[in-house]
Amino acid sequence: MHNWEWRLCRDGFGEALLELGEKDERVVMLGADLSESTRALWFKERFPQRFFSLGIAEQNMLSAAAGLALAGLIPFVSSYGVFLSGRAWDQIRTTICYSELNVKMAGAHGGISVGPDGATHQALEDCAIMRVLPHMTLVVPCDYHETRKATLAVANMVGPAYIRYGREKTPVVTAADTPFELGKAYTMRAGDDLTIIANGYMVSQALLAAEELADAGIEARVINMHTLKPLDTAAIEKAARETGAIVTAEEHQLIGGLGAATAEVVVATHPVPVQMVGIQDTFGESGAPEELLEAYGLTAADIVAKARIALQMKTKS
Amino acid sequence: MNEVDLNDICREVRCDILRMTAAAGSGHPGGSLSAVELLVGLYCKKLRHRPQEPDWPDRDRFILSKGHIAPALYAVMAHTGYFPREELLTLRKMGSRLQGHPASMRLPGIEVSTGSLGQGLSVGVGLALGAKLQRKQWRTYVLMGDGEIQEGQIWEAAMSAGHYRLDNLCGIVDRNYMQIDGNTEDVMTLDPCADKWRAFNWHVVEIDGHDMEQVAAAYDTAASTVGKPTLIMARTVKGRGVPFMENVAAWHGKAPSEAELAEALAHLAATNQ
């Protein structure tokens, strides 16, 4: 159907960090024993003086990053999303966000597609618990290019930011020159019958779903909501007004994620049917990524099914 | 300033702590009173800072990791010129810069917000690493409670400070042996407390935390220690200076009544003869 190239989001992160490190001496990195996997190793090898190994101690790492920010540096912290967001949540809340410190967090291994490591390592709640924090900027890029751009973008703003991406290669659905602006949704496909709002890996599935719907004469708008916070509420309201039905798609718990965030805006501005694709209040398990995505309802076919329900509801109302 | 003058300031700070918490109707006088000499000795004698220019880039950094003794810190800050003493009575009131726990976005001179225990030493590690990386001469001081060091993160921070040989970092433990639920050794044993820090590659100085001469000497030792962070283990008395509060765990987080305030102030005045 598509000849998308598949690439690692974390490579985009690692390459952006090298660019940033070259450009700005204030950029430093901290790692908690996962340097190779998170690509922090690339930065460490190029800028050894500016890399700090903190051992398997995420709470100390996040608070030390706060101290480095206070010293005028721009610290990037990377680890697996489960541990970064969960193990150190109070540190992120009270020390970093409450003090509005310039700490940049990169949560790798987000989503169920982490695969064989199983539920312990599949971050499915990270977006919800980061989104709820005042002053936080939260980005869920969809592919290699967007992860690179998101990393550069958060370095350019002052304040706490969290970038979330998966472990596996994902389809490269954007180009190197696709515009990227924090807090500004990007419309990947025009359409007026309904809107699919997705982020992360699910953007590719949304595009596939839109094609399938188009074959049936339904034109779906596809919005890449890469920034979960601050949320582009104008784009959501516009989609509700112009298309009258919305389907959201995310590789995350439905509770507190993109679907919930979208619904919050829709009910407050222009109520229309909203159907959600995502993890349904359950933990994951071991398996191949593609098996898990199918078993937990995170495919283009699942989006199409929800779209049909949303369209039926739209017609009735 | 000599030790006698500093002791006068300590007495005034104690009076302020009592007046502030009484006016607020809540707060933490016990641990505030135990740390007075440690704070006064630092702010009046050792810390390189400019109260009129709180964000002076070359200032030494101080972090109150045991954020609940904010009244003691605020009183010392007022005495050193960060803000007028009258403002102390706004503690914990709506709209005040003097939040129940220190809030950096509210009050200039507070480096980072604290109140959730166990995080300050790690912030100090980051500051000390940042100072070394940028070849800055300023030092970082972190005051912890002894109950607080039951938090696991303290030991993560201790490990990393020893690992990076952060001799520009000085930790202070207010060892008053009391926490909310009682004696620290009953709640969760800390001793041999100093040995634990030594095992994490810190230079440990054990002092009487109410003896201003020992306090000042300990800060000097920390500044001249090379290749290791220094931990000042300061033996103190919770509620120090107010007989009915001393070593009574109940005064951890309770404000004095009007009558109790009067009694306490009268006692402190009587010691000033």
Side-chain angles (χ1 to χ4, degrees), chain A residues 11-223:
Chain A
D11 283 355
F13 170 73
E15 283 169 24
L17 252 296
L18 291 180
E19 287 176 51
L20 288 166
E22 212 63 70
K23 213 166 54 182
D24 193 337
E25 276 206 330
R26 296 172 302 165
V27 173
V28 297
M29 266 206 101
L30 299 90
D33 202 38
L34 296 168
S35 302
E36 182 168 2
S37 171
T38 62
R39 300 297 185 253
L41 186 65
W42 299 357
F43 186 91
K44 180 185 177 179
E45 284 171 350
R46 181 84 65 87
F47 311 104
Q49 301 301 315
R50 286 192 268 153
F51 178 84
F52 301 104
S53 161
L54 270 302
I56 308 170
E58 293 79 11
Q59 300 178 354
N60 184 47
M61 176 167 71
L62 267 297
S63 304
L68 286 159
L70 284 168
L73 298 161
I74 305 174
F76 275 79
V77 175
S78 73
S79 186
Y80 293 170
V82 169
F83 314 126
L84 190 66
S85 69
R87 189 63 170 262
W89 188 82
D90 184 31
Q91 286 72 15
I92 296 172
R93 174 191 180 268
T94 305
T95 297
I96 295 174
C97 288
Y98 183 39
S99 300
E100 298 181 41
L101 296 179
N102 198 23
V103 175
K104 315 302 179 188
M105 296 155 266
H109 289 42
I112 200 157
S113 57
V114 166
D117 277 343
T120 53
H121 285 53
Q122 295 160 348
L124 296 175
E125 303 79 20
D126 47 347
C127 293
I129 60 176
M130 292 295 101
R131 182 168 87 87
V132 74
L133 294 171
H135 304 302
M136 181 63 90
T137 291
L138 173 58
V139 192
V140 186
C142 65
D143 65 8
Y144 159 83
H145 288 305
E146 202 165 80
T147 306
R148 182 181 156 273
K149 285 179 243 180
T151 306
L152 298 174
V154 298
N156 260 328
M157 52 154 280
V158 178
Y162 189 102
I163 307 174
R164 189 253 201 181
Y165 45 87
R167 174 180 190 271
E168 295 295 304
K169 288 180 177 172
T170 59
V172 179
V173 297
T174 68
D177 60 355
T178 305
F180 177 86
E181 192 184 333
L182 283 176
K184 188 100 181 105
Y186 186 73
T187 303
M188 308 280 289
R189 188 183 202 283
D192 286 328
D193 294 331
L194 86 159
T195 303
I196 306 170
I197 301 177
N199 63 17
Y201 164 75
M202 294 306 287
V203 171
S204 62
Q205 300 308 297
L207 291 169
L208 293 175
E211 286 177 14
E212 196 179 326
L213 290 165
D215 290 344
I218 300 160
E219 290 303 326
R221 179 180 302 182
V222 176
I223 291 180

Side-chain angles (χ1 to χ4, degrees), chain B residues 65-232:
Chain B
S65 194
K66 52 179 303 198
H68 56 279
I69 68 154
L73 177 61
Y74 296 151
V76 172
M77 287 175 75
H79 273 271
T80 47
Y82 279 88
F83 52 84
R85 269 181 82 182
E86 301 82 71
E87 195 173 339
L88 290 175
L89 293 180
T90 68
L91 173 74
R92 289 178 165 250
K93 299 214 163 90
M94 189 77 184
S96 173
R97 300 193 295 174
L98 310 188
Q99 293 287 295
H101 294 80
S104 60
M105 298 309 286
R106 297 263 188 154
L107 184 65
I110 301 295
E111 301 289 350
V112 63
S113 303
T114 53
S116 177
L117 294 175
Q119 303 183 25
L121 189 61
S122 301
V123 178
V125 166
L127 277 163
L129 285 170
K132 280 191 180 280
L133 179 67
Q134 300 172 96
R135 301 186 194 289
K136 305 285 188 191
Q137 294 306 306
W138 47 265
R139 299 176 55 76
T140 299
Y141 298 87
V142 180
L143 176 61
M144 294 162 273
D146 54 356
E148 178 184 12
I149 68 175
Q150 291 162 354
E151 289 280 5
Q153 187 185 349
I154 291 289
W155 302 101
E156 295 182 2
M159 208 185 312
S160 59
H163 176 83
Y164 283 104
R165 304 175 185 279
L166 298 178
D167 51 16
N168 54 351
L169 176 67
C170 174
I172 306 122
V173 172
D174 181 6
R175 185 73 171 116
N176 58 34
Y177 276 88
M178 305 291 289
Q179 58 190 113
I180 299 178
D181 277 358
N183 187 290
T184 55
E185 305 312 283
D186 295 330
V187 178
M188 183 49 65
T189 307
L190 290 170
D191 279 336
C193 199
D195 289 347
K196 289 187 167 74
W197 291 89
R198 289 191 190 96
F200 281 73
N201 294 319
W202 286 60
H203 174 61
V204 178
V205 186
E206 295 181 75
I207 61 164
D208 173 348
H210 298 305
D211 182 324
M212 194 52 86
E213 216 169 306
Q214 291 187 36
V215 169
Y219 287 134
D220 288 342
T221 303
S224 60
T225 299
V226 177
K228 277 185 175 190
T230 295
L231 191 283
I232 300 174

